[in-house]
Amino acid sequence: MHSFWSAGMTVLTALGAILLAVAGAPHAVRHREHRAVLRAHRLLPPSVAAPAAGAEILVGAAVLAVLLVDPAAMVVPAAAQAALYCAFAGYTAVLRTRRPGVPCGCFGAERVSWVVVFRAVALAVGSAGCAFLGVPGPAPDRWACVAAGVVLAMANHLIPAWRGAGDRKPGRAFR
């Protein structure tokens, strides 16, 4: 039973790391847009945009690297990721309550919703569980967990895109 939970937490941790890196890279490259989103939130000063983007990329890349190369050292990176997602969960919960119509800033035009808050909580729990339980031992199991995380990360982007494509006129869905 421990192996099942360990694998599940590892999948959530890999998913969280992938999402951090995928969200952090555009924040770092398009820093003006990221600062503009923070100004719209009116909760934190826009000056935290660059350090936040750096933390997203650093933590996400570290978790993936350690997960695949030296899983015995996973406690610190997974705990850092759990702390980052706890901060995101708290921030988005306050944001959802105070300014529900503003963009999230996570992935494009996504609005802050309770789904965004729940996603952050689930990824925080998964990362904390991975730090506590450890990762599955044999390398093939870790690779399978990372592959599952990749599939879930892709679903995180594709499902909303498919929903949005249904709202458009026929023949113009993916232009």
Side-chain angles (χ1 to χ4, degrees):
M1 187 65 144
H2 169 72
S3 144
F4 170 77
W5 286 110
S6 178
M9 296 300 150
T10 303
V11 168
L12 285 174
T13 302
L15 168 62
I18 292 164
L19 293 179
L20 280 178
V22 168
H27 290 165
V29 173
R30 295 189 305 257
H31 49 87
R32 287 184 179 147
E33 291 175 21
H34 192 212
R35 284 195 308 262
V37 168
L38 288 178
R39 271 193 291 281
H41 290 172
R42 297 184 314 203
L43 293 178
L44 292 174
S47 61
V48 303
E56 287 175 316
I57 295 168
L58 179 67
V59 170
V63 166
L64 285 174
V66 171
L67 177 62
L68 295 173
V69 174
D70 186 14
M74 194 62 190
V75 173
V76 172
Q81 182 167 295
L84 192 56
Y85 274 114
C86 281
F88 288 161
Y91 182 84
T92 55
V94 169
L95 192 60
R96 173 65 180 105
T97 304
R98 291 186 184 176
R99 291 175 187 76
V102 299
C104 173
C106 303
F107 301 103
E110 183 177 9
R111 299 257 179 242
V112 175
S113 67
W114 290 113
V115 172
V116 171
V117 176
F118 175 75
R119 178 179 62 205
V121 169
L123 295 173
V125 168
S127 299
C130 189
F132 180 72
L133 295 174
V135 298
D141 289 344
R142 288 193 317 270
W143 284 95
C145 290
V146 171
V150 168
V151 168
L152 290 172
M154 289 171 34
N156 183 66
H157 291 295
L158 291 178
I159 291 171
W162 287 334
R163 285 186 195 151
D167 297 339
R168 296 183 191 131
K169 293 180 182 179
R172 304 194 82 189
F174 293 103
R175 290 187 186 176

